[in-house]
Amino acid sequence: MKWKKWRLELLGVLLGLIWIAPFYLMFVNSFKTQRELFEGTLNLPSSLEFSNYIEAFQEMNFLQTLFNSVLVTGFSIVIIIFFSAMAAYALARTKSKVSTVILFIFISAMLIPFQSVMIPLVSLFGEIDLLNRGGLIFMYLGFGSSLSIFLYHGAMNNIPETLDEAARIDGANKFQIFWYIIFPMLKPITVTVGILNTIWIWNDYLLPSLVINSPGSETIPLRMFYFFGQYTTQWHLAMAGLTLAILPVIIGYFFAQRAIIKGVTDGAVK
């Protein structure tokens, strides 16, 4: 038993080193000059100078870009959770063939590749003047609802309808039943939905590149593209920019780790 435990611990350490290696390379190379990067990526920098970070911060217009990413991601997550939970509640509590068909339509939408609809989608939103951050948030609602409704619907089936009936007897309407009784019980799955959509939206490059056209409205993945030109690539600034880009995620996880871990584990148990 001790030998097996030792092997598992060794395997865990090796997997941890493999996982952390890209972050180590990114952090170390962010202090190098362009010439040092071409000479080798594994060796340590000659000096720890923060000029790369200052230049990347200025080139990215980091504070404005960070605000854009937080704004788009935050609003998208809120409306995805709100509308997906309500839609799942309506579909779960309405026992009919129509609700079943609608649910299958939402599930089947996950199988449609984005590349097959992106050109008509962008053309349609361009005609109604929604190629901006508001239109981008609305698109994220459409693309993120399918999986979210599917997850909420599965969790909703585990909540007995007797709770609805008891609240209805006490005089609560449907919205009050959902908001004050059902939705608080969905906290574990809400955390899961929030995590999945946050990872996708925060790191998404393709959709913002098609929708965001005005300067000053770019998200962090979109702004990172400016370090990669047609003829030259500023790898030293790109590494510093990537380090700056992941700092908000690490800080956010540090403060929210207890709620995230509890939500995920509670959802796994249920």
Side-chain angles (χ1 to χ4, degrees), residues 40-164:
T41 58
L42 296 178
N43 55 313
L44 294 174
S46 57
S47 61
L48 295 178
E49 297 183 2
F50 290 89
S51 58
N52 289 346
Y53 285 92
I54 297 173
E55 189 173 352
F57 189 92
Q58 295 172 346
E59 288 287 333
M60 292 177 65
N61 192 10
F62 185 73
L63 294 179
Q64 178 64 44
T65 307
L66 176 63
F67 172 78
N68 294 334
S69 288
V70 171
L71 180 70
V72 171
T73 304
F75 272 97
S76 300
I77 297 303
V78 169
I79 63 175
I80 287 174
I81 289 175
F82 185 71
F83 287 104
S84 298
M86 287 197 300
Y89 176 69
L91 293 173
R93 292 298 189 257
T94 304
K95 307 297 184 182
S96 66
K97 292 183 179 180
V98 176
S99 63
T100 303
V101 171
I102 294 175
L103 177 63
F104 277 115
I105 291 175
F106 276 114
I107 295 174
S108 61
M110 292 188 291
L111 304 176
I112 301 175
F114 170 71
Q115 290 77 6
S116 64
V117 299
M118 65 180 184
I119 301 301
L121 181 68
V122 172
S123 300
L124 176 62
F125 272 66
E127 292 179 359
I128 58 179
D129 197 24
L130 275 178
L131 292 181
N132 46 44
R133 287 182 298 191
L136 180 62
I137 293 172
F138 192 76
M139 291 182 186
Y140 280 136
L141 171 62
F143 287 109
S145 294
S146 298
L147 177 60
S148 302
I149 290 174
F150 174 71
L151 294 174
Y152 272 121
H153 190 274
M156 207 82 68
N157 289 328
N158 296 325
I159 300 177
E161 294 186 31
T162 53
L163 293 176
D164 301 51

Side-chain angles (χ1 to χ4, degrees), residues 93-263:
R93 292 298 189 257
T94 304
K95 307 297 184 182
S96 66
K97 292 183 179 180
V98 176
S99 63
T100 303
V101 171
I102 294 175
L103 177 63
F104 277 115
I105 291 175
F106 276 114
I107 295 174
S108 61
M110 292 188 291
L111 304 176
I112 301 175
F114 170 71
Q115 290 77 6
S116 64
V117 299
M118 65 180 184
I119 301 301
L121 181 68
V122 172
S123 300
L124 176 62
F125 272 66
E127 292 179 359
I128 58 179
D129 197 24
L130 275 178
L131 292 181
N132 46 44
R133 287 182 298 191
L136 180 62
I137 293 172
F138 192 76
M139 291 182 186
Y140 280 136
L141 171 62
F143 287 109
S145 294
S146 298
L147 177 60
S148 302
I149 290 174
F150 174 71
L151 294 174
Y152 272 121
H153 190 274
M156 207 82 68
N157 289 328
N158 296 325
I159 300 177
E161 294 186 31
T162 53
L163 293 176
D164 301 51
E165 297 172 359
R168 197 174 295 113
I169 292 173
D170 290 337
N173 56 41
K174 288 186 178 181
F175 184 80
Q176 291 173 330
I177 294 172
F178 167 77
W179 189 251
Y180 294 108
I181 298 176
I182 303 300
F183 189 72
M185 300 179 67
L186 297 172
K187 184 178 179 180
I189 200 67
T190 298
V191 174
T192 302
V193 169
I195 292 171
L196 293 176
N197 285 288
T198 299
I199 294 172
W200 159 55
I201 295 173
W202 183 270
N203 296 316
D204 186 32
Y205 169 80
L206 181 56
L207 193 54
S209 67
L210 296 172
V211 177
I212 300 297
N213 297 317
S214 58
S217 299
E218 303 95 337
T219 58
I220 287 179
L222 191 58
R223 194 69 184 178
M224 284 296 303
F225 182 73
Y226 287 91
F227 295 128
F228 302 91
Q230 184 177 0
Y231 302 104
T232 59
T233 299
Q234 304 177 77
W235 286 109
H236 59 306
L237 298 182
M239 294 296 105
L242 285 172
T243 305
L244 291 173
I246 67 172
L247 280 178
V249 180
I250 295 176
I251 294 173
Y253 179 79
F254 177 78
F255 285 103
Q257 59 178 327
R258 183 173 300 178
I260 292 173
I261 294 173
K262 185 178 185 303

